[in-house]
């Protein structure tokens, strides 16, 4: 049996092994605000203490910061011990996803996130995605400056490869990387990204850990997942998340949710112990 620990570490802070991905509460098709707030409260009530957001989680440029404002409102009276991880570097012109990794943009975005999150220091600020028009070192250097000014507690990187991580580590302390990882998307395993995080004690936050919005119904479509779910009497989503947790001691998946039921179910995966032969069968079927 694998042994899931009760908490994992992010920069030395104890984190429930699974966080809440808040993106589905702000994109097109989002629920009303009351349901979103119930979803955030359900996650906190179940023990989660990490919420992932971004300034770009909104419908378009007219409402940048929508998701951050929603989270700030939901946790206004219960902020203690809650780590909010946000991101900058994406823009949403006309609802598209564009990039701006320039130091000037990152500074303005961070300052807007501080206001949206109703805080004077962001817990974890992640550079959302490398902008090919801006040298990576310049973008990371901008985050380091914001950290030196006290506006950011910790720096994280998203959609980053091992080479970029190493370059960034020469500039600043990096405490988390956030890349796509699921039964459907396993390249961080073959490209050594999970291993690089594990070896350095850096948290690895898999995004779209259930295959992404609209695809989470049957994670991986992988039979061993269904079989393990039936054997343990849990949802296949819990099995998918437990498999992710088995990939490294610093892995902290951030399943998205827009309903209390789904996040409450997902968070139970932290207590699910899969047998080595189940994990092997799942990995093999996923091609991992
Ligand atoms: N850094 C990046 O570039 C990047 C990119 C994408 C996402 N992210 C982050 O990663 C988070 C997660 O990714 P994601 O939201 O794209 O995809 P996901 O977590 O793979 O899937 C989210 C969907 O799964 C459903 N779900 C969650 N738990 C479930 C359960 N136990 N049973 C059944 N359905 C369940 C949710 O349904 P309901 O909506 O009905 O609750 C939600 O719509 C995002 O919220 C965001 O914070 C980061």
């Amino acid at each position: 049996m694998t042994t899931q620990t009760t908490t994992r570490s992010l920069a030395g802070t104890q984190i429930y092994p699974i966080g809440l991905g808040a993106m589905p509460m702000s994109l097109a098709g989002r629920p009303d605000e009351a349901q979103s707030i119930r979803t955030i409260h359900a996650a906190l009530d179940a023990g989660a203490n990490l919420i992932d957001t971004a300034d770009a989680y909104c419908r378009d440029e007219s409402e940048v910061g929508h998701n951050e404002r929603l989270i700030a409102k939901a946790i206004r009276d219960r902020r203690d011990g809650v780590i909010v991880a946000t991101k900058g570097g994406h823009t949403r012109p006309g609802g598209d996803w564009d990039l701006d990794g320039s130091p000037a943009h990152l500074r303005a975005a961070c300052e807007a996130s501080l206001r949206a999150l109703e805080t004077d220091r962001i817990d974890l600020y992640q550079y959302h995605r490398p902008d090919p028009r801006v040298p990576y070192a310049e973008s990371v250097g901008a985050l380091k400056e914001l950290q030196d000014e006290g506006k950011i507690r910790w720096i994280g990187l998203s959609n980053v490869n091992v080479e970029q991580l190493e370059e960034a580590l020469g500039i600043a302390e990096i405490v988390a990387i956030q890349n796509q990882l699921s039964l459907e998307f396993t390249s961080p395993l073959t490209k050594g990204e999970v291993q690089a995080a594990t070896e350095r004690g850096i948290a690895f936050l898999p995004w779209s850990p259930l295959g992404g919005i609209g695809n989470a119904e049957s994670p991986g479509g992988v039979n061993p997942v269904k079989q393990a779910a039936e054997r343990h009497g849990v949802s296949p989503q819990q099995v998918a998340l437990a498999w992710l947790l088995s990939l490294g001691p610093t892995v902290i998946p951030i399943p998205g949710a827009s309903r209390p039921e789904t996040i409450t179910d997902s968070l139970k995966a932290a207590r699910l112990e899969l047998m080595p032969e189940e994990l092997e069968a799942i990995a093999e079927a996923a091609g991992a």
Side-chain angles (χ1 to χ4, degrees):
M1 305 282 274
T2 57
T3 309
Q4 310 284 18
T5 48
T6 47
T7 56
R8 296 196 164 197
S9 165
L10 193 156
T13 295
Q14 296 306 302
I15 300 286
Y16 189 85
I18 297 169
L20 166 66
M23 186 173 78
M25 295 183 246
S26 287
L27 300 188
R30 67 194 183 202
D32 62 31
E33 187 181 274
Q35 180 177 323
S36 291
I37 289 178
R38 280 200 304 279
T39 304
I40 295 166
H41 288 172
L44 300 180
D45 290 344
N49 64 345
L50 172 68
I51 304 177
D52 181 70
T53 181
D55 60 350
Y57 294 168
C58 57
R59 287 179 178 144
D60 59 32
E61 74 271 43
S62 69
E63 53 166 33
V64 167
H66 177 277
N67 201 244
E68 296 172 317
R69 287 189 291 276
L70 174 71
I71 291 166
K73 185 170 181 184
I75 66 171
R76 204 169 278 154
D77 300 323
R78 50 188 305 183
R79 210 166 178 127
D80 268 10
V82 180
I83 303 295
V84 179
T86 193
K87 315 182 192 78
H90 258 303
T91 57
R92 301 301 312 282
D96 287 345
W97 293 84
D98 209 341
L99 293 168
D100 190 344
S102 66
H105 173 79
L106 291 173
R107 170 167 294 274
C110 176
E111 282 168 0
S113 288
L114 284 164
R115 288 191 295 275
L117 288 168
E118 301 175 19
T119 186
D120 51 15
R121 188 176 65 160
I122 290 167
D123 298 320
L124 175 61
Y125 197 72
Q126 305 158 103
Y127 180 32
H128 207 147
R129 187 179 287 275
D131 178 350
R133 291 165 302 193
V134 181
Y136 202 59
E138 274 184 30
S139 307
V140 175
L143 266 54
K144 171 81 168 84
E145 267 183 30
L146 292 162
Q147 185 180 45
D148 290 344
E149 291 167 25
K151 293 177 176 161
I152 295 174
R153 183 173 180 194
W154 299 312
I155 298 174
L157 306 173
S158 185
N159 301 300
V160 67
N161 62 34
V162 174
E163 205 183 1
Q164 289 161 332
L165 170 64
E166 275 165 5
E167 186 181 5
L169 283 167
I171 299 165
E173 187 188 356
I174 305 299
V175 306
I177 62 176
Q178 180 179 145
N179 283 0
Q180 184 175 14
L181 175 62
S182 64
L183 287 162
E184 291 81 1
F185 191 90
T186 56
S187 86
L189 298 174
T190 48
K191 291 187 177 156
E193 294 156 14
V194 174
Q195 195 186 336
T198 304
E199 284 169 2
R200 293 166 176 82
I202 295 173
F204 186 102
L205 314 183
W207 65 255
S208 290
L210 297 172
I213 299 171
N215 297 318
E217 213 150 280
S218 143
V222 173
N223 212 25
V225 173
K226 271 196 224 151
Q227 288 165 350
E230 279 165 21
R231 201 174 297 121
H232 292 271
V234 300
S235 67
Q237 290 80 10
Q238 283 190 45
V239 174
L241 293 167
W243 175 72
L244 287 172
L245 288 172
S246 78
L247 299 176
T250 67
V251 173
I252 306 172
I254 45 167
S258 60
R259 291 181 293 143
E261 309 87 90
T262 48
I263 190 61
T264 307
D265 181 69
S266 290
L267 292 172
K268 290 182 188 151
R271 291 189 295 273
L272 174 61
E273 296 192 356
L274 296 174
M275 293 179 287
E277 50 274 28
E278 289 176 320
L279 292 169
E280 273 164 35
I282 292 167
E284 199 185 324

